[in-house]
Amino acid sequence: MTTVALPRRRASGAALPSVAPGVAITYLSVIVLLPLSALLWESHKGGLDAFWQAVSAPDAVAALKLTLGAALLVSLINAVFGTLIAWVLVRDSFIGKGLVNSLIDLPFALPTVVAGLTLLTLYGPNSPIGVNITYTRKAVVLALMFETLPFVIRSVQPVLLELDREMEEAAASLGARGHVIFRRVVLPNLMPAIFSGMALAFARAVGEYGSVVLLSGNVPFSTEVASVHIYSQIQSDYVTGATAMSVVLLSISLVVLLSISALHRWSSKHDR
Amino acid sequence: VAAGAVVLSLVALAAACGGSGGSTAGAATKGKVNLVAYSTPEASYAKLIPAFNKTPQGKGVTFTQSYGASGDQSRAVAAGQAADVVHFALEPDIQRLVDAKLVSPNWNQNQYNGFVANTMVVFVVRKGNPKHITNWDDLTKPGVQVITPNPFTSGGARWNIMAAYGAELKEGKTPAQAQQYLSDLFHNVPVQDDKASAALQTFTGGKGDVLLAYEQDALLAEQSGADIQIVYPPQTIEIQTPIATTVKSSTAGKDFVKWMYTPQAQTILAQTGYRPVVTSQESAFTKAFPDAGNPTLFTIDDVDSGGWDDVMTKFFDPTNSIMQKIESSIGVSTSS
């Protein structure tokens, strides 16, 4: 899951036969690189003008703004609550902890349409708890929060488990209070993991379709997210528009993932 | 029209990976039919296929069935999904296959112009009709929430819009006034689902006062006990759904399409909520749905003499069209 936090170790390759890199690269090409290049190629078929026209159309811009804003907000919320939940799961003990730990991954297992339907029943017009926020931008954020819950937790948890308790004890023996220890000792160690969790959550949120399409209402300029906008362009046989928007979304996610990785490299160098 | 021939390589890839039969299927192996259809007739085919299997020419014929959004299905076939028989919600989806040379240009040269079953756009309201919705003008009143899918993602939504627009013209309004009506109507639409079935779900889930829907969908929902009732507007559009065999169709596929026009098949269509195209079977529909109304009907060609081809550009072009402008004007006034 922590794709960004690559182990900083020289490749030895001793454990696996020498064909392993070849297999890995072929696999990646077939599964990821080829489809992405096909997309890129298709998006440029109409020329740069058509590309620009598609992504700068007012409805496209509105959908992009909503999507990126919501994704950013959701990754920030995840940073706080994901870290909190990871902390509770690692440092506290309570009855049913194992069960809670397993529950975290369920949003991954649930088909997104089902997730949308469930949230719709719970927070929709016939809400049994009297909360109706569907068909608003709040609903977009809610759906994305559900879908991206595991990322930060699952990035932070292993780091927290490995974290040397002696550092905290040393800080305490030097007179540091609880919140100071957390801010000055624990948090700096967790930051790379939090960031990589946030980046994954962000990328996932940007592409989410199934749950958002049910909850948001899909009104252009108001609650229509980028993925739904892209779907509408495909349905209108406007392939250039759809692929151009997709390329923009992918580029933004790529930039986010790369900067997190750079940040991580910088901070680990900085530590030494 | 040229756009129809454009094959999105991603779709091709998806179809290549996901297609069950691969390339072998479309071939003329007698006794096998790959049926690719839009989603609403699924309930009808569940009864039609066993009935066909009981006829002499249908004996032992096996079916592979695929249902989904009409546009998606049409694009999948254009990209290579195996199909002997295609049944879509609107004519442009067949036209796409004609452009791709997968369906003969003469596909509609029969007594029924290629259409196999009809339905119409109706109003669905809450039981008891609390907002007293009776005609198209009631939909633009303040405080009335209308549910219809997004016209850029849903074929059903396009029928709804052409029904509203055409009804205004029938009332003697000018095209400009009818366009203004569409704008007023969409100011009352709080949710635009991606497809007709999702819109029905939104409505039965408690959102909105009126749902614009296919009569056939509405009848089946009513039958299944949803707390709704159908209101027939004074005039509405007749939805004609086309069926065709592909150029690679098996003999069984051709036999099946021929059989679809028999009194037996048309009766089954009537019993599952469609208005039969073979008029002698109209009585079967009235028998099954005695409370169904009889609004004045017009077709897409009455609304626009250029038919769907013209309508798609004029109303539904995603970059510059009547609906695109209306959606922008709503966005500007409602987005925060």
Side-chain angles (χ1 to χ4, degrees):
Chain A
M1 178 148 308
T2 54
T3 51
V4 200
L6 294 171
R8 313 205 53 72
R9 194 155 48 95
R10 236 171 288 121
S12 66
L16 281 173
S18 57
V19 293
V23 172
I25 286 165
T26 312
Y27 184 83
L28 272 180
S29 302
V30 171
I31 303 294
V32 182
L33 293 178
L34 265 177
L36 287 188
S37 340
L39 181 73
L40 204 63
W41 181 70
E42 189 75 40
S43 75
H44 279 81
K45 262 190 174 172
L48 271 181
D49 281 351
F51 184 96
W52 179 245
Q53 205 184 355
V55 298
S56 63
D59 48 348
V61 172
L64 273 175
K65 270 191 194 159
L66 172 64
T67 306
L68 297 177
L72 193 67
L73 182 61
V74 164
S75 36
L76 287 172
I77 295 172
N78 267 309
V80 175
F81 288 96
T83 310
L84 183 80
I85 293 172
W87 179 271
V88 170
L89 284 176
V90 172
R91 292 295 173 91
D92 291 339
S93 57
F94 51 91
I95 298 165
K97 186 168 139 179
L99 184 71
V100 173
N101 192 28
S102 316
L103 281 179
I104 306 285
D105 290 326
L106 278 189
F108 278 162
L110 204 60
T112 52
V113 177
V114 181
L117 211 56
T118 312
L119 293 173
L120 192 61
T121 319
L122 200 53
Y123 302 115
N126 290 336
S127 168
I129 53 170
V131 182
N132 181 8
I133 59 153
T134 45
Y135 316 125
T136 64
R137 291 179 169 185
K138 288 189 196 99
V140 175
V141 174
L142 179 76
L144 295 180
M145 275 165 64
F146 182 86
E147 295 294 342
T148 58
L149 171 81
F151 290 105
V152 172
I153 302 175
R154 291 303 186 223
S155 308
V156 170
Q157 227 178 353
V159 181
L160 207 50
L161 272 173
E162 300 266 306
L163 199 65
D164 200 346
R165 293 290 281 266
E166 281 176 14
M167 270 199 297
E168 292 163 62
E169 282 156 18
S173 73
L174 291 171
R177 301 258 187 87
H179 69 275
V180 177
I181 298 177
F182 184 78
R183 199 157 43 86
R184 303 287 294 272
V185 178
V186 179
L187 204 54
N189 281 295
L190 295 185
M191 272 335 261
I194 294 176
F195 273 128
S196 66
M198 280 174 73
L200 289 170
F202 180 87
R204 175 77 177 78
V206 161
E208 173 59 16
Y209 179 85
S211 60
V212 179
V213 76
L214 283 178
L215 281 175
S216 70
N218 310 319
V219 179
F221 291 94
S222 165
T223 57
E224 186 183 63
V225 297
S227 58
V228 176
H229 183 76
I230 289 170
Y231 180 67
S232 83
Q233 290 175 319
I234 292 177
Q235 291 299 321
S236 308
D237 282 328
Y238 183 34
V239 177
T240 313
T243 47
M245 276 283 276
S246 311
V247 166
V248 169
L249 284 187
L250 282 175
S251 312
I252 291 168
S253 291
L254 185 67
V255 167
V256 168
L257 292 170
L258 282 177
S259 20
I260 293 297
S261 155
L263 193 76
H264 179 243
R265 245 194 327 268
W266 178 82
S267 74
S268 59
K269 231 182 258 165
H270 204 69
D271 282 346
R272 280 170 212 156
Chain B
V1 184
V6 173
V7 175
L8 178 57
S9 55
L10 286 182
V11 175
L13 200 71
C17 299
S20 46
S23 55
T24 55
T29 44
K30 195 183 182 290
K32 196 168 180 318
V33 177
N34 280 301
L35 170 68
V36 178
Y38 75 108
S39 40
T40 40
E42 187 170 356
S44 306
Y45 281 113
K47 298 207 169 91
L48 286 163
I49 289 171
F52 177 66
N53 281 148
K54 289 206 184 88
T55 65
Q57 78 269 38
K59 206 159 187 181
V61 173
T62 55
F63 281 80
T64 315
Q65 303 168 58
S66 162
Y67 301 98
S70 192
D72 286 344
Q73 295 290 78
S74 165
R75 261 179 287 274
V77 173
Q81 183 181 345
D84 298 297
V85 177
V86 288
H87 181 182
F88 295 138
L90 58 177
E91 212 181 328
D93 287 333
I94 301 256
Q95 189 57 44
R96 180 184 287 113
L97 302 185
V98 174
D99 293 342
K101 302 202 169 9
L102 291 167
V103 165
S104 154
N106 301 324
W107 69 275
N108 55 4
Q109 299 300 310
N110 67 14
Q111 193 185 341
Y112 308 101
N113 297 320
F115 300 116
V116 69
N118 294 342
T119 184
M120 61 183 77
V121 171
V122 296
F123 302 163
V124 178
V125 298
R126 306 274 166 216
K127 202 138 225 167
N129 197 359
K131 294 256 171 152
H132 311 292
I133 307 292
T134 57
N135 58 47
W136 289 98
D137 289 337
D138 291 334
L139 305 190
T140 53
K141 286 188 177 149
V144 173
Q145 287 193 332
V146 182
I147 307 294
T148 179
N150 185 316
F152 295 101
T153 58
S154 158
R158 292 175 191 153
W159 279 116
N160 293 345
I161 286 163
M162 294 330 289
Y165 182 83
E168 291 302 298
L169 293 185
K170 290 283 156 195
E171 282 178 13
K173 305 274 171 61
T174 65
Q177 286 169 324
Q179 282 179 35
Q180 184 55 46
Y181 175 84
L182 290 182
S183 173
D184 295 344
L185 177 68
F186 267 72
H187 275 86
N188 277 355
V189 177
V191 180
Q192 300 183 18
D193 284 299
D194 60 340
K195 46 182 185 254
S197 58
L200 178 64
Q201 206 161 42
T202 296
F203 188 75
T204 52
K207 184 74 181 172
D209 303 306
V210 192
L211 168 76
L212 298 179
Y214 294 142
E215 181 195 31
Q216 193 251 359
D217 264 355
L219 286 171
L220 293 187
E222 207 178 33
Q223 257 183 352
S224 72
D227 231 4
I228 54 169
Q229 77 181 57
I230 298 176
V231 171
Y232 287 88
Q235 27 337 63
T236 188
I237 201 162
E238 179 168 57
I239 295 173
Q240 301 168 302
T241 68
I243 195 169
T245 50
T246 59
V247 287
K248 293 181 284 189
S249 173
S250 60
T251 321
K254 287 175 189 153
D255 288 346
F256 182 63
V257 170
K258 248 179 243 148
W259 177 79
M260 285 292 280
Y261 290 98
T262 61
Q264 190 192 5
Q266 291 285 312
T267 301
I268 295 174
L269 283 168
Q271 286 161 349
T272 49
Y274 279 105
R275 307 263 178 166
V277 292
V278 179
T279 41
S280 62
Q281 298 310 306
E282 272 289 356
S283 57
F285 178 85
T286 354
K287 223 186 263 171
F289 303 98
D291 296 332
N294 273 311
T296 311
L297 294 173
F298 51 87
T299 65
I300 191 72
D301 295 321
D302 296 335
V303 181
D304 187 316
S305 53
W308 272 113
D309 223 23
D310 201 35
V311 164
M312 287 305 281
T313 328
K314 224 158 91 185
F315 284 83
F316 304 114
D317 184 279
T319 53
N320 181 20
S321 61
I322 291 166
M323 283 317 294
Q324 184 261 335
K325 292 202 176 88
I326 288 175
E327 295 271 24
S328 319
S329 74
I330 297 166
V332 171
S333 60
T334 58
S335 68
S336 47

